Amino acid sequence: MRLAPLVAPSPELGGDELARTARQRRLPELGEVGQRRLAASRVAVLGAGGLGAPALQYLAAAGVGTIGVIDADAVEPSNLHRQVIHGIGDVGERKTASAARSLRELAPDVTVIEHDERLDESNAATILGGYDLVLDGADNFATRYAVADACVALGLPLVWGSVLRFDAQLSVFWSSPPAPAEGVTLRDVFPEPPPAGSVPSCAEAGVLGALCGVVGSMMAVEAIKLVTGIGEVLLGRLLVVEALTMRVSELPLRAVAVGASAQASAAGSSEHTPQTSARSEAPARPQPPAPRDYDPVVDAGGHFVDVREPDEYAVDGLPGASSLPLSELLQLEHDPGSLTARLRRLADEGAGTEQATLNLYCVSATRARRAALLLAPLGIEVRVVQTPELNALRAPAGTASASSRESAAQNGASS
C-alpha cells in the first residue's frame, strides 16, 4: 500500500547537492520535492555492521539530511568482508566514528549523529525519539525487541532486516501507520525472542557478505519510500531471500488479535512462525481512455505546460509555458486539496488563453503522457505534445531539436 510522505520538504537545495543528486531527481516519482523530503529527514540506523553499513551508505548517498549511527563496538578484522563502510585502516576504531567519517566523505551535506552506546530498553526511547524512522540491523535479539517496543511507543516506522548464512528476511513494522493502512509490529510476527542459544550467531553459523549488501540496500530503499511517499512499502509483508537459489518470496502479515499470541505460545506451535493471512485480490480498476495527442490546428489555443523538472524547464521551456513537473503531480496525487490548489494556480498562469485545454510536453512525450493520465480523470482537458510537434513549436525560435537533446540525455544517462 502506498503511504503518505513521512517528512515535509526542506527549503531549496544547494547547488552542490543538486549536482550530486541529479540522476536521482530525474525520477519523476521522486523529483525535486522528494529530494527535499530526504534532505529534511532524520533517520536512525541501529548497527554499523553487515546490514547497517550498506544502508548507511545508500541513505547518505540518497541525500538523507540527518543520520544517526547507533553502535557500541569497535571495528574488527572479521567485520570487513560484509561491513563495507569500514576499511582495514579502521580496525580498532569505534564503528560510529569510522562510519561517520565515511558518510561525510560520501555526502558532505549530511549531518551524522554518533550514538556510541549500547541501546537497550532503558534508553531506546530517548535515543530514537528525535528521528522520523528507524532501520534495525542489530545482531542480537534483546536489542531488536527493545528497538521494536520503543518504535511502538513512539509511533515510528521500523525497517527490519535479518541475515544468517545464505538466507535473509526483510519487512516494515509500524504500529500506527496513516489510514487506511493496518499496523503490524515485530511482536505480531515473532511474539517473543527465541530461547537463548537456540539460534546461532553469525560468528557461529557464518554469513555471506554480499547478501548483507543486498538486504541493507533494500532497507535503504524502504526508508526512501517511507520518507518520500513513493511506491508500496513492505508494511504487512515479509520478504524472504534465499541466496543459494536466488529465490525471493513474500508472506503477507497481519496484526495478532489480543490474546492470540498467548494462545499460540500455550499451544507451542507458532512462537517464532510469522503470523500470516491471505489477501484477496483487489478488483481491477477500469483503464482510463488514452489521452489525445496535441493537434497544432485544433489545440493551438490551449495553454502549454512543461512537465519536466524545474531545472530542465529553465533551460528551454517554451515561451509562455507554465511549469508543472510530473514529480510534483505524483507527490500531490493523494492530496486532492493541494492538487486542486496547484491546478488553480496553473489556471491563473494560463489566463487569457482561448481554451482550458492543457497541452503537456516534455521531450519524448513519455512524462507528458503519464501526467495526462493523472489529470484526465479530474475532468481536465489535456493533450500530449509529441516530439515532431514540439520540434515544430521550437523551430521559429531556432532552438536545438528535441530529438537531439533526447539523444544527448540518453548518452549522458548511460554514463
Side-chain angles (χ1 to χ4, degrees):
M1 178 178 291
R2 181 172 176 178
L3 302 177
L6 193 60
V7 179
S10 72
E12 298 299 318
L13 300 171
D16 290 343
E17 188 68 358
L18 284 172
R20 200 183 63 79
T21 60
R23 293 292 193 274
Q24 182 167 275
R25 287 185 296 107
R26 282 291 181 267
L27 296 168
E29 293 83 356
L30 193 76
E32 185 171 344
V33 173
Q35 194 62 53
R36 287 163 50 202
R37 293 186 194 279
L38 289 170
S41 67
R42 298 173 58 87
V43 180
V45 178
L46 184 65
L51 294 175
L56 286 164
Q57 290 173 307
Y58 276 106
L59 289 173
V64 169
T66 301
I67 298 176
V69 186
I70 307 167
D71 203 305
D73 294 329
V75 180
E76 300 177 0
S78 62
N79 300 150
L80 301 182
H81 86 288
R82 66 195 184 282
Q83 301 179 17
V84 294
I85 200 168
H86 313 294
I88 193 69
D90 302 317
V91 171
E93 187 175 6
R94 307 305 297 174
K95 284 187 178 180
T96 50
S98 171
R101 183 174 59 253
S102 296
L103 298 184
R104 294 178 183 122
E105 291 175 355
L106 178 61
D109 286 352
V110 69
T111 298
V112 184
I113 301 174
E114 301 174 35
H115 299 277
D116 188 1
E117 55 187 311
R118 195 162 301 282
L119 188 146
D120 57 32
E121 59 185 12
S122 69
N123 61 8
T126 301
I127 293 174
L128 302 177
Y131 293 97
D132 299 308
L133 75 157
V134 180
L135 278 67
D136 178 9
D139 59 1
N140 67 88
F141 290 105
T143 302
R144 284 186 176 275
Y145 279 82
V147 170
D149 292 343
C151 286
V152 169
L154 296 168
L156 297 178
L158 173 65
V159 181
W160 177 91
S162 174
V163 177
L164 185 66
R165 292 177 50 79
F166 299 99
D167 303 301
Q169 296 177 337
L170 175 69
S171 191
V172 171
F173 299 122
W174 198 351
S175 60
S176 54
E182 297 181 358
V184 181
T185 70
L186 177 65
R187 289 191 185 272
D188 289 323
V189 184
F190 302 107
E192 298 293 336
S198 63
V199 178
S201 66
C202 289
E204 297 166 328
V207 62
L208 183 66
L211 182 59
C212 295
V214 170
V215 178
S217 298
M218 295 171 88
M219 293 173 70
V221 171
E222 291 302 300
I224 292 168
K225 287 155 59 180
L226 282 163
V227 168
T228 60
I230 64 174
E232 297 186 6
V233 300
L234 277 172
L235 180 66
R237 296 181 289 151
L238 179 71
L239 202 68
V240 179
V241 182
E242 301 172 80
L244 284 182
T245 58
M246 201 47 76
R247 288 193 176 93
V248 180
S249 55
E250 184 179 295
L251 292 172
L253 305 176
R254 62 175 172 81
V256 176
V258 176
S261 61
Q263 294 170 4
S265 179
S269 60
S270 61
E271 185 176 344
H272 307 295
T273 301
Q275 305 296 310
T276 66
S277 64
R279 292 185 175 181
S280 58
E281 291 295 328
R285 295 182 180 179
Q287 292 297 317
R292 283 177 47 188
D293 289 342
Y294 165 78
D295 184 316
V297 176
V298 176
D299 304 313
H303 186 57
F304 288 93
V305 178
D306 192 321
V307 300
R308 301 175 297 169
E309 290 302 303
D311 55 336
E312 298 175 274
Y313 167 74
V315 172
D316 59 358
L318 291 175
S322 298
S323 173
L324 180 59
L326 173 60
S327 60
E328 184 178 351
L329 275 176
L330 291 168
Q331 294 282 338
L332 295 175
E333 182 182 4
H334 298 282
D335 187 353
S338 297
L339 178 57
T340 300
R342 180 66 176 91
L343 294 174
R344 188 177 297 117
R345 293 200 305 273
L346 187 69
D348 292 341
E349 293 175 17
T353 58
E354 297 177 7
Q355 301 179 29
T357 303
L358 300 182
N359 300 322
L360 311 179
Y361 74 90
C362 50
V363 173
S364 66
T366 301
R367 283 179 278 180
R369 187 166 298 280
R370 290 189 65 185
L373 289 170
L374 286 174
L375 293 174
L378 303 177
I380 300 171
E381 286 290 325
V382 291
R383 301 290 182 265
V384 177
V385 181
Q386 297 294 333
T387 302
E389 284 70 30
L390 181 60
N391 285 338
L393 290 166
R394 294 188 187 281
T399 58
S401 71
S403 59
S404 65
R405 280 192 304 277
E406 177 71 3
S407 175
Q410 290 174 346
N411 290 337
S414 65
S415 62

